[in-house]
Amino acid sequence: TITEPKAWYGPPPPPELTDNAASLELLSQGAEARVWLATIDISGAISKADGSTKSSSGGSKRSVHVGSGINVPQLSSLTQYPSPLSDESSSSSSSSQSVKVIVKERFPKKYRHPALDVSLTKSRTKGEARSLIRCKRAEVACPKVLAIANWSNLKDSDGNVNKKSETTKAGNVCTTSSCLFIEHVQGCTVRQYFEQRLESTATQDSPSSKRQRLEEEGDDSNLLEFKQQQDRVTTVIDSHTLCVAYNIGNLVGKMHAAGVVHGDLTTSNIMIQNPPPPTTDITNQETEERREADLVLIDFGLATSTNSTIVTASAAAASNNDASNNSKKPHKQQHSAEEKAVDLYVLERAFLSTHPESEPLVEEVLKGYREFFEGLGSNNDGSSEGVYGHVAKAIFNRLEQVRLRGRKRECFG
């Protein structure tokens, strides 16, 4: 069965996805891709794994090379065995016979030449998978890549999926969707969390009684001022939201150190798995216990890759051993300071435009970003300063230039 809380547009989803998924729910759709939440029944794959039955679709595992020596399992069918999706189910603690995955479908575009459409769709899917895997290897919190599939959107006259041709008989329309299967992350976006904090604070303040009192007193000037304050939407600034902002800066710094530039950093593309309690009536002890926010970066569709600074803890330890010999370690990403500064500028503008009066949160994000690089290569006891502090300085210097260009564009168009 297919549940569609949101109506999709464009070409139909691949029949391989609609026919063989236990349930399919559209989460979002843009001009480039659709994002589905699919429930896949893997009971058949589990039973085949327990027995000695061979699948008709073949038992060999195929992979797709996405660049930088990275291979991703290729999914020819949701019913194939062995299946990379069954591996995801075995890694979870539950013994369910189904698994929920996110499917990012890049559907064909009629306005493109079919050969160009196929090339762009496949290359962008591979690029997103490559960036996610590079982040995952560098221990950056992001969804796990499960598989890649290139499926037709059409069926032949007999009702079977047309798997041979990537274009119609006329040859002028592409009919292939490129699907990226990734891990389903539970939680809410940072934007949703900030909005929930605002709603809970407004509920606790209970302004209706104050408004009623001012109306009874007939104080028109104070009543008008009160109405203007109520109409203005602000952002809650407290220890929890500041903590989330600081952890965002740390996470973005870790991603940049791994050599990945996100390209679309907004509070809607960062998820929080353990949001702090929405109420503000909590003890200081609870505040300290919930100090670390479990954040996950999502939507790497516009991500690009550069040379990495430090990608693992072992690499950081190795750089710490060489710190005594090298007072200033050369940074391999001088050419990418511009891209990283633009990444930070996009995130800064997203905060200020989506969350009014969030300047303290932006400052906390930049503080977390700076302190991440300053902590790279330093001793755990704090006896020596990190050797990568100059990396953050170079990026922040470039960020100032990006800001000036942005202000000039706003003034003169």
Side-chain angles (χ1 to χ4, degrees), residues 114-315:
L116 177 63
D117 192 21
V118 171
S119 176
L120 285 176
T121 301
K122 290 185 177 180
S123 63
R124 288 174 180 176
T125 301
K126 291 179 181 180
E128 182 171 3
R130 180 173 61 251
S131 298
L132 282 167
I133 292 175
R134 288 191 64 172
C135 284
K136 204 69 176 178
R137 290 179 177 178
E139 301 174 1
V140 179
C142 65
K144 176 184 177 183
V145 175
L146 303 178
I148 286 180
N150 296 306
W151 289 334
S152 173
N153 297 77
L154 302 178
K155 292 185 178 181
D156 56 22
S157 57
D158 297 330
N160 300 320
V161 180
N162 185 5
K163 298 182 180 180
K164 295 182 179 180
S165 177
E166 292 182 338
T167 60
T168 60
K169 292 182 179 180
N172 56 358
V173 179
C174 176
T175 62
T176 302
S177 286
S178 185
C179 299
L180 179 63
F181 290 78
I182 59 178
E183 173 191 6
H184 177 224
V185 178
Q186 298 283 352
C188 66
T189 64
V190 172
R191 176 176 180 174
Q192 292 172 340
Y193 167 67
F194 285 159
E195 291 174 351
Q196 292 172 2
R197 293 285 295 170
L198 180 61
E199 292 174 359
S200 63
T201 304
T203 303
Q204 290 179 358
D205 291 342
S206 184
S208 58
S209 59
K210 182 178 180 181
R211 179 171 183 170
Q212 183 178 3
R213 178 176 57 81
L214 292 174
E215 290 177 349
E216 292 176 353
E217 294 176 356
D219 192 346
D220 295 336
S221 59
N222 290 336
L223 180 60
L224 179 60
E225 181 182 356
F226 174 76
K227 289 181 178 180
Q228 292 175 349
Q229 292 177 355
Q230 289 300 114
D231 294 337
R232 186 180 60 184
V233 179
T234 59
T235 304
V236 177
I237 307 296
D238 57 14
S239 60
H240 289 288
T241 55
L242 290 173
C243 167
V244 171
Y246 181 86
N247 289 330
I248 289 175
N250 265 265
L251 183 60
V252 174
K254 195 172 186 179
M255 177 187 65
H256 285 176
V260 176
V261 177
H262 191 278
D264 190 20
L265 278 177
T266 66
T267 52
S268 297
N269 288 335
I270 306 174
M271 296 193 66
I272 177 169
Q273 293 183 292
N274 62 334
T279 59
T280 56
D281 187 16
I282 54 177
T283 62
N284 293 332
Q285 182 178 1
E286 290 174 345
T287 303
E288 294 298 327
E289 290 176 355
R290 301 297 296 271
R291 190 64 184 170
E292 291 296 329
D294 193 1
L295 301 175
V296 179
L297 287 168
I298 61 173
D299 195 358
F300 283 71
L302 299 178
T304 56
S305 300
T306 60
N307 295 328
S308 60
T309 305
I310 289 181
V311 294
T312 59
S314 59

